[in-house]
Amino acid sequence: SEIRSRSFNVLWKQDWYVVQVFNDLISSPERFTDQAKFEELKRSGQELIRNDWLGQLRSVVRQLSDLIPSKSASGHLEDMFADVNVIRG
């Protein structure tokens, strides 16, 4: 829906959310079609978090999402919105 898409777009700009999505993705390595690429992206993402380069982490999250079968990158990332508790005023 449009509201869900807009909410995702707002969250995607928040560094904490991107870190949460990254951590969710790497918590289930069996989901990924290319384990070598997964490990490479996992290490890269962890290094980016350590160095507080969260803008670049977004690219790693997109690449990880692309390695999950039968989901588009944006579709999978937007699905993660459902896992976040958002209080609406």
Side-chain angles (χ1 to χ4, degrees), residues 37-49:
K37 184 69 174 172
F38 165 77
E39 288 296 331
E40 175 188 333
L41 291 168
K42 176 182 168 182
R43 283 190 301 275
S44 176
Q46 290 168 329
E47 182 71 19
L48 292 169
I49 290 170

Side-chain angles (χ1 to χ4, degrees), residues 39-72:
E39 288 296 331
E40 175 188 333
L41 291 168
K42 176 182 168 182
R43 283 190 301 275
S44 176
Q46 290 168 329
E47 182 71 19
L48 292 169
I49 290 170
R50 274 193 296 278
N51 291 305
D52 201 30
W53 295 334
L54 302 179
Q56 294 173 328
L57 183 63
R58 286 173 178 80
S59 174
V60 170
V61 169
R62 285 186 195 101
Q63 291 176 66
L64 282 168
S65 184
D66 285 343
L67 295 177
I68 298 173
S70 74
K71 293 274 191 175
S72 70

Side-chain angles (χ1 to χ4, degrees), residues 5-89:
S5 180
R6 285 184 185 203
S7 296
F8 170 78
N9 289 334
V10 169
L11 285 171
W12 186 243
K13 294 176 185 175
Q14 306 300 314
D15 291 342
W16 65 266
Y17 180 71
V18 177
V19 171
Q20 179 177 325
V21 170
F22 173 78
N23 287 327
D24 177 66
L25 286 168
I26 66 170
S27 72
S28 300
E30 69 280 356
R31 294 189 282 186
F32 298 89
T33 56
D34 183 337
Q35 288 297 306
K37 184 69 174 172
F38 165 77
E39 288 296 331
E40 175 188 333
L41 291 168
K42 176 182 168 182
R43 283 190 301 275
S44 176
Q46 290 168 329
E47 182 71 19
L48 292 169
I49 290 170
R50 274 193 296 278
N51 291 305
D52 201 30
W53 295 334
L54 302 179
Q56 294 173 328
L57 183 63
R58 286 173 178 80
S59 174
V60 170
V61 169
R62 285 186 195 101
Q63 291 176 66
L64 282 168
S65 184
D66 285 343
L67 295 177
I68 298 173
S70 74
K71 293 274 191 175
S72 70
S74 61
H76 181 71
L77 294 175
E78 287 180 15
D79 285 346
M80 289 183 186
F81 173 73
D83 296 333
V84 177
N85 290 325
V86 177
I87 299 171
R88 296 185 178 135

